[in-house]
Amino acid sequence: MAPAVHLGSGKVRELYALDDERLLLVATDRISTFDVVLPTEIPDKGRVLTGLSAFWFARTRSICPNHLLAVRSDGRSTECRRLEMLPIECVVRGYLTGSGWKDYVATGSTSGHALPPGLVESQELPEPIFTPATKATTGHDENIDAETAVELVGADRFREVERIALALYRFASAHAHERGIIIADTKFEFGLDPDGVLVLADEALTPDSSRFWPMDGYRPGQAQPSFDKQFVRDYCESLGWDKTDPGPELPENVVAGTRERYIEAFALLTGIDFDAYLDNPEIVLR
Ligand code: Q0Z
């Protein structure tokens, strides 16, 4: 087999070319908080995210085809179809948080969606909204309105990604809700295959591409604890770290607690025991 060529590094993932048509996406155990990658890893985090993403890909194929070709036996690497990626991030928000909340407080709207007055932080929106963003190569993605997104992908493709992203979010949100998890928002990335067919790519509906909140203790009117990273954030806040690189090392109790939260999210959402996934990662595809 020809060696994989390294194409790039994300904060917590690595991307390789297998050949002209196939990529290898590897989820590491790195964790970022406040946009800084910490020096301490969370064992199995990459496997949890890879397994979750593959689980959603297998269950959303009737909504949209996706790039997944195979999950490797290491549980953290996926072979995928190499696509022409669209130049927008396809964000869907069901709850008012993050930059959507900030935009709303400043302007009463977000990405051109006029919202009802009097909404509070973390409140469920009347309907999920599509709030595309640009892909920043450095710094933060910037929310854009529909007109700007149309300039980037065309009017027909814009309507299509909006419809598909909303359908994917509604499906996953309902599934998660039944299992005690709120998906507050999520970011999808799409590409086009050589025939111009829209394909769901990258990672999908993981805690790194979404905000997962425990339904227990959901309190509109304040920021919600993150399902997965709250121990890490609380620990970092307790240090008074200034949130610039380098971040702090994590003590073993924070590592262990955070690892358990990732594994709990996996088990709740998939209904599959994480040890069974480690034994045979393809279990999430059935
Ligand atoms: C994903 C990324 C990562 C760095 C390109 N199926 C695809 N076809 C073409 N390109 C991509 C995909 Cl998923 C693609 N990224 C994001 C991932 C490291 C950047 F692991 N960039």
Side-chain angles (χ1 to χ4, degrees), residues 214-228:
M215 217 138 79
D216 260 22
Y218 166 61
R219 297 283 181 276
Q222 58 193 62
Q224 304 303 300
S226 152
F227 196 98
D228 48 306

Side-chain angles (χ1 to χ4, degrees):
M1 229 193 313
V5 174
H6 188 234
L7 292 182
S9 300
K11 279 209 286 277
V12 302
R13 298 180 303 159
E14 301 293 337
L15 190 62
Y16 301 85
L18 294 172
D19 54 44
D20 289 349
E21 279 113 46
R22 295 179 312 141
L23 300 177
L24 189 71
L25 221 152
V26 183
T28 71
D29 291 337
R30 299 194 293 266
I31 187 169
S32 68
T33 190
F34 306 112
D35 281 327
V36 173
V37 178
L38 300 181
T40 311
E41 297 192 330
I42 306 298
D44 292 322
K45 172 178 177 279
R47 292 189 175 92
V48 166
L49 268 63
T50 296
L52 265 178
S53 216
F55 170 83
W56 292 117
F57 283 141
R59 277 152 191 81
T60 58
R61 285 172 55 199
S62 63
I63 300 173
C64 181
N66 62 66
H67 75 163
L68 181 65
L69 295 170
V71 185
R72 290 199 169 173
S73 60
D74 65 6
R76 67 169 70 252
S77 312
T78 53
E79 298 174 10
C80 48
R81 286 191 278 159
R82 193 171 193 167
L83 305 166
E84 196 68 51
M85 298 301 286
L86 297 185
I88 58 172
E89 312 267 19
C90 294
V91 178
V92 179
R93 300 173 190 278
Y95 293 74
L96 198 49
T97 186
S99 65
W101 167 242
K102 283 196 184 72
D103 291 348
Y104 174 75
V105 169
T107 70
S109 66
T110 184
S111 293
H113 296 269
L115 296 172
L119 298 178
V120 298
E121 185 174 18
S122 308
Q123 190 167 345
E124 185 173 16
L125 294 168
E127 297 286 334
I129 55 174
F130 182 63
T131 62
T134 56
K135 293 186 185 185
T137 39
T138 168
H140 276 116
D141 297 344
E142 186 189 352
N143 291 339
I144 54 177
D145 59 14
E147 186 185 324
T148 308
V150 163
E151 285 170 12
L152 290 167
V153 301
D156 290 354
R157 196 65 78 178
F158 175 82
R159 278 193 297 274
E160 186 184 17
V161 293
E162 175 175 51
R163 175 175 57 83
I164 297 295
L166 287 168
L168 290 166
Y169 174 80
R170 285 183 191 280
F171 171 83
S173 176
H175 177 98
H177 223 81
E178 290 168 13
R179 289 154 181 85
I181 293 177
I182 292 170
I183 303 180
D185 54 29
T186 194
K187 177 184 82 182
F188 299 109
E189 296 203 32
F190 293 94
L192 305 180
D193 77 5
D195 294 330
V197 173
L198 187 73
V199 178
L200 179 61
D202 210 67
E203 64 179 330
L205 297 156
T206 71
D208 277 5
S209 66
S210 319
R211 284 189 179 86
F212 288 180
W213 295 338
M215 217 138 79
D216 260 22
Y218 166 61
R219 297 283 181 276
Q222 58 193 62
Q224 304 303 300
S226 152
F227 196 98
D228 48 306
K229 288 184 179 171
Q230 202 56 46
F231 294 150
V232 173
R233 295 201 184 132
D234 290 349
Y235 175 73
C236 289
E237 296 280 14
S238 79
L239 296 176
W241 164 52
D242 66 1
K243 296 169 189 173
T244 64
D245 199 53
E249 306 251 18
L250 300 175
E252 67 174 28
N253 65 313
V254 173
V255 171
T258 301
R259 178 173 180 276
E260 284 310 312
R261 290 298 275 171
Y262 279 104
I263 289 169
E264 187 186 357
F266 177 94
L268 282 171
L269 288 170
T270 67
I272 298 166
D273 189 74
F274 186 62
D275 286 325
Y277 174 74
L278 295 181
D279 211 60
N280 174 21
E282 292 182 341
I283 195 171
V284 294
L285 305 178
R286 295 201 285 261

